[in-house]
């Protein structure tokens, strides 16, 4: 990998100096931490979506009402929320 952005290169060097390690190790560690954080965030989002699906499946659709009728009931004649 060839980092051509001077600011990114400087940041990597600063991180390496703070950690007392090489630039390669500093970048490796930073990427590992970010990947783990991202995985954790993705897992949390997935759990939230699953919880929403459970709640959605528990909703009861009124008998004899089409989705168009239900949507139309949300708005007045001018298209504003009812």
């Amino acid at each position: 990998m060839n980092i051509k952005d001077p600011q990114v290169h400087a940041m990597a060097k600063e991180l390496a100096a703070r950690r007392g390690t090489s630039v390669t190790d500093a970048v490796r560690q930073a990427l590992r931490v970010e990947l783990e954080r991202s995985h954790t965030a993705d897992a949390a989002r997935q759990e939230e979506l699953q919880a929403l699906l459970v709640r959605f499946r528990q909703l009861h659709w009124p008998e004899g009402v089409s989705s168009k009728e239900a949507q139309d009931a949300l708005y007045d004649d001018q298209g504003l929320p009812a």
Side-chain angles (χ1 to χ4, degrees):
M1 181 183 313
N2 185 6
I3 299 173
K4 296 184 182 199
D5 184 322
Q7 184 180 11
V8 173
H9 189 67
M11 290 166 57
K13 285 176 72 173
E14 180 181 347
L15 183 59
R18 287 183 184 190
R19 292 189 174 172
T21 188
S22 69
V23 172
T24 300
D25 282 340
V27 170
R28 179 184 299 116
Q29 292 169 10
L31 290 171
R32 185 176 296 125
V33 166
E34 181 58 23
L35 286 169
E36 179 59 34
R37 186 204 64 77
S38 178
H39 175 73
T40 301
D42 290 347
R45 253 191 315 274
Q46 186 67 26
E47 286 180 21
E48 290 171 4
L49 285 173
Q50 290 301 323
L52 283 173
L53 283 172
V54 168
R55 288 178 54 203
F56 180 77
R57 287 182 185 121
Q58 293 172 346
L59 295 175
H60 298 285
W61 195 265
E63 288 287 324
V65 177
S66 72
S67 60
K68 171 95 170 83
E69 291 169 327
Q71 184 177 359
D72 288 346
L74 297 174
Y75 302 95
D76 65 16
D77 293 338
Q78 285 76 40
L80 298 173

